[in-house]
């Protein structure tokens, strides 16, 4: 009985967080357009988005990602998609090509823990993670070129207040953000309940155990200390920083293999547990299933390719 109550409580908390973050992101994006703030900041916005050829109107989404507010970011992108401003391919292109900017939010998330655990070495690790996001941008640009994707700039604030004065701007923005959020809510409920049930029945724990047991197959390439860090990173990337720091401090792990173990472990985690538990459910809770799968798979493949390049360079680096 206690387990069921806990599940209901968790679901209620997730729903509350979903409603607040989704509506806040959509509401602020609407206000930015209604008050013309994007137009006033035009040159700066264009300079920021120009490297990836992204249009001005995605800036509220990018800005949300840069402060680690990914739910708000994708609710904004979904709103644009539902209004026909972005195609399915354009959404995938946005997610990959904006990597060099979205990385800021990711680094804000892992940075404090990595720096607290690893000290100055954490800066090297974070730099490698940023390079991964830059490589994702390169992959996104290549994807856009192959698919012939070109996102045309659009005016997304079609004068919600019409000619009735500035006092009417808040209500239409609130109404629109509420309408879009409620449209997505049923999908979110189905996904979050499914994920909580899988977690309740230990599916993710079993998968993590299976991966850790089979990580020993890499002992031909990695030392026992590296395997320890790798296994920990598969189960919990944040805990692995402290394990790596301890082994490095006792001389059991070199800098090169510390970085390789952390990156490889986080990659395996992201392509398995992270994909099933976080990224795919996250996208499924916002976008239609077909688009959600395309985004999750494209991002997972881009991450795998980018980190493979970085790990390979580290492996051949004789430090």
């Amino acid at each position: 009985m206690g387990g069921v109550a806990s599940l209901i409580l968790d679901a209620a908390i997730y729903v509350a967080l979903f409603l607040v973050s989704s509506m806040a992101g959509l509401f602020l994006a609407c206000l930015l357009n209604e008050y013309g703030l994007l137009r006033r900041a035009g040159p700066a916005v264009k300079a920021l988005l120009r490297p990836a050829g992204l249009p001005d109107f995605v800036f509220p989404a990018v800005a949300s990602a840069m402060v680690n507010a990914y739910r708000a970011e994708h609710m904004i992108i979904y709103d644009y998609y539902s209004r026909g401003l972005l195609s399915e391919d354009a959404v995938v292109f946005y997610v990959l090509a904006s990597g060099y900017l979205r990385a800021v939010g990711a680094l804000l998330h892992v940075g404090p823990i990595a720096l607290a655990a690893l000290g100055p070495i954490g800066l090297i690790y974070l730099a490698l993670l940023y390079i991964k996001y830059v490589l994702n941008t390169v992959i996104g640009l290549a994807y856009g070129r192959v698919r012939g994707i070109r996102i045309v700039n659009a005016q997304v604030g079609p004068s919600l207040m019409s000619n009735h004065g500035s006092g009417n701007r808040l209500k239409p923005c609130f109404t629109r953000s509420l309408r879009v959020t409620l449209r997505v809510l049923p999908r979110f409920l189905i996904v979050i309940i499914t994920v909580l049930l899988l977690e309740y029945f230990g599916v993710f724990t079993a998968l993590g155990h299976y991966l850790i047991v089979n990580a020993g197959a890499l002992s031909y390439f990695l030392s026992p200390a590296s395997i320890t860090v790798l296994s920990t990173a598969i189960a919990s990337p944040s805990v692995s920083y402290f394990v790596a720091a301890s082994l490095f401090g006792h001389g059991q792990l070199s800098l090169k293999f510390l970085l390789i173990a952390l990156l490889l472990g986080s990659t395996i985690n992201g392509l398995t547990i992270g994909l099933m538990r976080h990224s795919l459910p996250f996208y499924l809770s916002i976008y239609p299933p077909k688009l959600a799968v395309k985004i999750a798979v494209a991002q997972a493949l881009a991450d795998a390719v980018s980190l493979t390049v970085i790990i390979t360079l580290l492996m051949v680096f004789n430090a």
Side-chain angles (χ1 to χ4, degrees):
M1 189 69 179
V4 175
S6 178
L7 279 176
I8 295 174
L9 178 61
D10 287 343
I13 292 173
Y14 281 118
V15 169
L17 292 173
F18 165 77
L19 291 173
V20 171
S21 60
S22 298
M23 287 193 62
L26 290 164
F27 183 70
L28 290 175
C30 179
L31 288 183
L32 281 174
N33 287 297
E34 282 299 304
Y35 282 97
L37 296 180
L38 283 182
R39 290 191 296 275
R40 296 174 193 173
V45 170
K46 289 181 186 296
L48 201 61
L49 300 176
R50 188 179 297 123
L54 293 169
D56 300 355
F57 71 83
V58 303
F59 180 72
V62 170
S64 299
M66 291 175 71
V67 296
N68 199 25
Y70 294 112
R71 172 71 60 184
E73 175 203 14
H74 283 283
M75 286 297 294
I76 294 169
I77 293 298
Y78 168 75
D79 183 33
Y80 296 161
Y81 165 75
S82 66
R83 294 159 67 180
L85 297 172
L86 294 172
S87 65
E88 284 193 359
D89 280 339
V91 173
V92 176
F93 170 76
Y94 159 80
V95 172
L96 297 179
S98 62
Y100 70 105
L101 296 172
R102 304 177 77 252
V104 176
L107 296 185
L108 284 176
H109 179 68
V110 303
I113 301 175
L115 292 174
L118 299 169
I121 296 173
L123 292 174
I124 302 174
Y125 177 71
L126 294 177
L128 292 176
L129 287 183
Y130 185 77
I131 292 172
K132 182 207 78 167
Y133 280 94
V134 172
L135 290 175
N136 281 5
T137 294
V138 174
I139 293 171
L141 293 175
Y143 173 80
R145 179 65 63 86
V146 171
R147 301 286 293 181
I149 300 169
R150 182 174 178 272
I151 306 176
V152 179
N153 222 330
Q155 182 62 40
V156 298
S159 189
L160 290 176
M161 73 289 188
S162 299
N163 297 315
H164 301 296
S166 61
N168 287 336
R169 297 180 185 182
L170 297 178
K171 185 177 179 181
C173 282
F174 178 82
T175 301
R176 175 163 190 81
S177 63
L178 178 62
R179 185 166 62 248
V180 175
T181 299
L182 292 179
R183 186 192 309 158
V184 174
L185 181 59
R187 206 154 44 218
F188 173 81
L189 287 172
I190 293 172
V191 171
I192 197 61
I193 290 172
T194 301
V195 171
L196 287 174
L197 286 173
L198 289 174
E199 190 166 351
Y200 178 76
F201 288 110
V203 173
F204 301 123
T205 301
L207 176 59
H209 178 72
Y210 173 82
L211 293 170
I212 291 170
V213 168
N214 287 277
L218 296 171
S219 60
Y220 180 80
F221 304 99
L222 301 174
S223 66
S226 299
I227 293 293
T228 299
V229 174
L230 171 67
S231 300
T232 308
I234 291 173
S236 175
S238 58
V239 173
S240 68
Y241 303 147
F242 295 93
V243 174
S246 176
L247 292 172
F248 179 78
H250 287 86
Q252 300 178 47
L253 193 63
S254 68
L255 174 59
K256 179 175 78 170
F257 283 101
L258 177 151
L259 295 170
I260 289 172
L262 288 177
L263 291 169
L264 185 57
S266 66
T267 302
I268 294 173
N269 175 281
L271 294 176
T272 53
I273 300 173
L275 182 65
M276 289 180 57
R277 189 178 188 177
H278 299 296
S279 58
L280 182 56
F282 175 82
Y283 293 126
L284 282 171
S285 69
I286 297 176
Y287 300 100
K290 179 184 174 183
L291 178 54
V293 172
K294 286 178 69 173
I295 298 171
V297 171
Q299 192 165 41
L301 289 175
D303 285 345
V305 171
S306 299
L307 285 171
T308 298
V309 170
I310 295 172
I311 292 170
T312 300
L313 292 175
L314 286 172
M315 286 293 288
V316 300
F317 180 64
N318 295 315

